[in-house]
Amino acid sequence: MDRAQHSAGRRRFLKGAALAAVPYALLPAPGAGALPQSDDYPPAEWQPAGSSNYTVSSRPTTYAVDRVLIHVTQETYADTLAIFRDPLKAVSAHYVVRSADGHVAQCVREADIAWHAGNWTYNTRSIGIEHEGWVDQPAYFTNALYEQSARLTAAVCDKYRIPKDRAHIIGHHEVPGTDHTDPGPNWDWVRYIRLVNFA
């Protein structure tokens, strides 16, 4: 090969290599813009509650976890997260499930005690799961919400060896001393417990 051919071949090679590299250079770095994930339940996004809205603990060493409490927010998903961040609200839950797509946010680590039950004993022994919606608007209880919440509840029950039944997966209205009615009469308990058991 003469010198002119070698030089032209090398230029073509370098030009091709440069063009091949361009798409990779334009891509964001791995993880750029990714939402932080939960350590307890990897599918969940980490959206921490304000540190004055829960009690730091080391469950299940300090307290046994033997219940899952089902709540309905009576707020939008975004407003619920904002309330949990507000240091003046003195309220939180471990998880929030969005209505439209079943997206799960974790707000309090499972080892810590969220303030969701309105009863200290139940707070210490339970994982609280809020669901976006209103008790009198069943359209908020979408297939995605039920399915993703059931997967979360099944994972919690498996982790803490909680039976997947109505004696251990309860509504906020079943907590002694509460004045709450959630999840309300439109929550399909039969469907939900079935989904939890098949998750």
Side-chain angles (χ1 to χ4, degrees):
M1 178 187 313
D2 67 26
R3 191 172 187 180
Q5 286 178 320
H6 176 74
S7 183
R10 181 164 171 74
R11 274 196 303 274
R12 275 195 301 270
F13 172 77
L14 292 173
K15 186 176 179 182
L19 288 173
V22 167
Y24 297 103
L26 296 176
L27 290 175
L35 300 171
Q37 284 186 297
S38 156
D39 292 332
D40 293 319
Y41 184 65
E45 171 190 357
W46 177 238
Q47 286 280 350
S51 60
S52 60
N53 291 340
Y54 63 91
T55 301
V56 174
S57 189
S58 56
R59 301 184 316 162
T61 304
T62 50
Y63 299 96
V65 176
D66 64 3
R67 295 282 185 282
V68 176
L69 254 68
I70 302 299
H71 302 267
V72 172
T73 60
Q74 299 295 109
E75 295 285 349
T76 65
Y77 173 85
D79 285 350
T80 301
L81 296 179
I83 288 167
F84 290 173
R85 285 191 294 265
D86 185 338
L88 301 178
K89 295 297 185 180
V91 66
S92 62
H94 293 95
Y95 295 97
V96 182
V97 184
R98 190 163 57 203
S99 172
D101 57 3
H103 178 77
V104 178
Q106 182 174 11
C107 303
V108 176
R109 305 244 183 247
E110 291 177 10
D112 296 330
I113 301 165
W115 300 346
H116 59 99
N119 175 311
W120 177 249
T121 301
Y122 275 71
N123 280 342
T124 63
R125 66 193 290 191
S126 65
I127 299 293
I129 303 176
E130 287 278 2
H131 298 82
E132 179 184 24
W134 283 262
V135 296
D136 60 348
Q137 297 182 40
Y140 275 92
F141 304 151
T142 63
N143 290 337
L145 177 136
Y146 274 119
E147 289 163 9
Q148 296 307 316
S149 174
R151 286 188 181 117
L152 167 60
T153 295
V156 168
C157 288
D158 290 343
K159 184 186 297 185
Y160 299 102
R161 299 181 180 175
I162 300 170
K164 297 174 182 176
D165 59 30
R166 280 289 284 119
H168 297 86
I169 303 168
I170 66 172
H172 192 182
H173 70 284
E174 296 171 278
V175 174
T178 188
D179 61 354
H180 287 251
T181 62
D182 58 308
N186 293 305
W187 183 261
D188 189 339
W189 279 109
V190 172
R191 177 185 182 190
Y192 189 69
I193 296 299
R194 185 181 301 127
L195 286 168
V196 170
N197 279 279
F198 286 106

